[in-house]
Amino acid sequence: AQTVTQSQPEMSVQEAETVTLSCTYDTSESDYYLFWYKQPPSRQMILVIRQEAYKQQNATENRFSVNFQKAAKSFSLKISDSQLGDAAMYFCAYRSENSGGSNYKLTFGKGTLLTVNP
Amino acid sequence: KAGVTQTPRYLIKTRGQQVTLSCSPISGHRSVSWYQQTPGQGLQFLFEYFSETQRNKGNFPGRFSGRQFSNSRSEMNVSTLELGDSALYLCASSLAGNQQGSYGYTFGSGTRLTVV
């Protein structure tokens, strides 16, 4: 079974600064997807960025980028030029690429609560 | 384009009662998943449906059940409620079919269930 670990329960950053959230995962599969989701107080989970495991190039979405290290099974999220609206709980998630019963799901880490200080 | 709609937003029930939660996916999405979120256990997978068939089920007791209708709307039911069932229940829909591809999941805002 796959597991996802986020070792930082809480992080804080000054507005306009850069912060990196850590995520490691364990899997025996070679084909999978990794996601970062943001959950603000409104509760809705919002997809921030995704990474296909077969792609060596790190994904980027505006101020958000990842550092994907497949061999190390590491998937960190970097937020540049942090804004007050970035304050939220961030979840790292894993999904298998394979079809078949137990693969149809997301496996989440415990989350990192990000505070942005003005 | 409407997002994933979950109803109701809040629910208070008494121990021993049963409850039904509803989820309407994004139009065209045939995969619907349910997750339970609690402060202690985090996000845990409940079940996933595709074209009215349950394809995957998480490690929850039989009191938790679900179904999906021909229009892809889904319901989950919890019978004989326990205090520990108090949680945020999140529904997510996806374009993913038999081949999962790179499709992500779009989540609803959840139903906050409180059992007293």
Side-chain angles (χ1 to χ4, degrees), chain B residues 8-63:
Chain B
R9 288 267 292 176
Y10 300 91
L11 209 46
I12 299 175
K13 289 287 189 178
T14 304
R15 269 183 304 175
Q17 288 188 312
Q18 75 164 15
V19 66
T20 299
L21 312 181
S22 178
C23 172
S24 293
I26 289 175
S27 179
H29 287 197
R30 291 193 291 161
S31 168
V32 175
S33 307
W34 289 89
Y35 295 81
Q36 181 195 64
Q37 186 176 20
T38 60
Q41 298 298 317
L43 283 148
Q44 293 188 286
F45 169 75
L46 281 157
F47 19 68
E48 191 264 3
Y49 288 88
F50 178 76
S51 292
E52 302 179 66
T53 300
Q54 184 183 87
R55 296 195 296 187
N56 194 9
K57 189 178 192 303
N59 189 25
F60 278 82
R63 299 185 297 107

Side-chain angles (χ1 to χ4, degrees), chain A residues 56-106:
Chain A
Q56 291 188 334
Q57 186 174 6
N58 290 323
T60 61
E61 287 287 344
N62 301 313
R63 298 182 295 107
F64 299 87
S65 61
V66 300
N67 183 3
F68 173 51
Q69 302 289 328
K70 191 173 184 179
K73 295 180 183 174
S74 171
F75 182 60
S76 61
L77 174 70
K78 185 171 83 170
I79 306 174
S80 304
D81 185 25
S82 296
Q83 301 175 1
L84 295 176
D86 295 333
M89 184 72 87
Y90 286 81
F91 292 95
C92 178
Y94 171 103
R95 200 203 75 204
S96 172
E97 163 61 10
N98 298 317
S99 300
S102 62
N103 294 318
Y104 296 120
K105 67 177 182 182
L106 287 170

Side-chain angles (χ1 to χ4, degrees), chain B residues 33-116:
Chain B
S33 307
W34 289 89
Y35 295 81
Q36 181 195 64
Q37 186 176 20
T38 60
Q41 298 298 317
L43 283 148
Q44 293 188 286
F45 169 75
L46 281 157
F47 19 68
E48 191 264 3
Y49 288 88
F50 178 76
S51 292
E52 302 179 66
T53 300
Q54 184 183 87
R55 296 195 296 187
N56 194 9
K57 189 178 192 303
N59 189 25
F60 278 82
R63 299 185 297 107
F64 291 81
S65 63
R67 60 178 175 169
Q68 186 181 33
F69 301 94
S70 58
N71 61 358
S72 295
R73 190 177 71 84
S74 177
E75 289 181 348
M76 68 163 280
N77 183 277
V78 187
S79 62
T80 320
L81 283 165
E82 301 177 359
L83 295 178
D85 297 333
S86 294
L88 178 65
Y89 290 87
L90 291 166
C91 168
S93 75
S94 173
L95 266 174
N98 290 322
Q99 297 300 320
Q100 299 211 73
S102 64
Y103 300 114
Y105 290 68
T106 303
F107 284 81
S109 296
T111 294
R112 172 77 67 188
L113 172 65
T114 302
V115 182
V116 298

